Amino acid sequence: MSASIGLHARPAAVFVRAVTETGLPIRIRKAGIEGVDARSLLEVMTADFEFGCEVELSVPDNAVTDASSLQAAEVTLQSLAQLLESQGAADALPRPLNPGRRGKLNPAVTPPNALSLTATIL
């Protein structure tokens, strides 16, 4: 996220709206805090995801019922990571992501039995 204030106000609202539209119970966390429900604007803003922090987006295993759901969840997490890494402070709308800065799926998932992805808020 390019907003120097991090994931607050309009950028947070855009992110939470995008998460809610997925229909998945996505959680977002950073070092030092438990994950919060990414569908909740209050929880996301309270967690204080500042500019430059690395976050982990995750979906619990029980939300992914088959291989096609797993693939869809992976694509969803990647899209949300792109959104976090590309939001502008002025308009809070996603812009194309620099191809060299894509979020990467994390094979060592945390918590256990979850699909997760790491992204940096720029």
Side-chain angles (χ1 to χ4, degrees):
M1 173 169 309
S2 60
S4 61
I5 60 169
L7 195 55
H8 293 282
R10 285 185 57 176
V14 170
F15 173 71
V16 167
R17 190 173 315 119
V19 169
T20 302
E21 289 173 0
T22 70
L24 292 170
I26 295 171
R27 298 192 60 80
I28 183 171
R29 69 174 296 276
K30 66 178 181 177
I33 69 162
E34 290 292 318
V36 299
D37 185 347
R39 300 169 294 183
S40 167
L41 182 59
L42 181 60
E43 287 187 37
V44 169
M45 290 182 64
T46 301
D48 191 28
F49 296 103
E50 67 276 353
F51 174 81
C53 77
E54 187 171 283
V55 299
E56 180 181 85
L57 302 173
S58 63
V59 176
D61 254 1
N62 62 1
V64 182
T65 57
D66 57 30
S68 63
S69 296
L70 176 62
Q71 185 176 16
E74 289 173 351
V75 169
T76 297
L77 290 180
Q78 289 171 345
S79 295
L80 291 169
Q82 283 184 305
L83 179 62
L84 287 175
E85 293 181 339
S86 67
Q87 281 191 346
D91 58 9
L93 294 175
R95 296 187 307 250
L97 179 67
N98 177 342
R101 295 210 28 93
R102 292 193 184 264
K104 296 182 177 67
L105 286 174
N106 182 358
V109 293
T110 304
N113 301 321
L115 173 66
S116 70
L117 179 103
T118 302
T120 302
I121 296 178
L122 295 175

